[in-house]
Amino acid sequence: MILNITEAASHQIKEMMKEEEGEVRLRFGVKGGGCSGLSYAMGFEDEINEELDLVEESSGIPVVINRQDAAIVEGTTIDFKQNMMGGGFTIDNPNAIVSCGCGSSFKTATNAGTPDPNC
């Protein structure tokens, strides 16, 4: 399994999916940018490209991951934490060798991405 979704994150994602129209899936991947070079991308998708995308299910949630991103996010866990200031998703990627302070930007041993000079 490429992506692990905790029970807390699964509950939150399912609640968010109820607000979407049609049969949506969670799209998870990476994009260039951020302080460390790569940033996580997460959203909902109702279309997939069978040549470019992998589709799997994690904790009852259909997940779409671009084949190019699969090795970068292999073994990643998405969690949802609630605190006094509200709540938010946390991402634990075992492939990340450097992460920024907020945890949304990273680089791996094989992919440094393109850091944003404005960080």
Side-chain angles (χ1 to χ4, degrees), residues 31-60:
K31 60 184 177 179
C35 301
S36 299
L38 295 171
S39 294
Y40 297 106
M42 191 163 80
F44 295 113
E45 181 76 63
D46 60 357
E47 295 182 20
I48 61 169
N49 182 325
E50 292 188 16
E51 291 179 22
L52 301 176
D53 295 325
L54 297 170
V55 180
E56 66 175 36
E57 188 169 300
S58 180
S59 298

Side-chain angles (χ1 to χ4, degrees), residues 16-25 44-46:
M16 294 168 70
M17 288 175 88
K18 290 178 183 177
E19 297 175 17
E20 300 293 318
E21 291 187 26
E23 191 173 326
V24 296
R25 299 167 182 88
F44 295 113
E45 181 76 63
D46 60 357

Side-chain angles (χ1 to χ4, degrees), residues 1 7 30 41 44 53 61 92 98 105 111:
M1 181 176 300
E7 186 177 326
V30 297
F44 295 113
D53 295 325
I61 296 175
D92 180 25
V98 173
S105 177
N111 196 323

Side-chain angles (χ1 to χ4, degrees), residues 5 12 14 29 34 37 55 62 64 77 87-88 90 98 104 113 115:
I5 300 174
Q12 185 66 30
K14 287 176 182 175
V55 180
V64 179
T77 298
T90 62
V98 173
S104 65

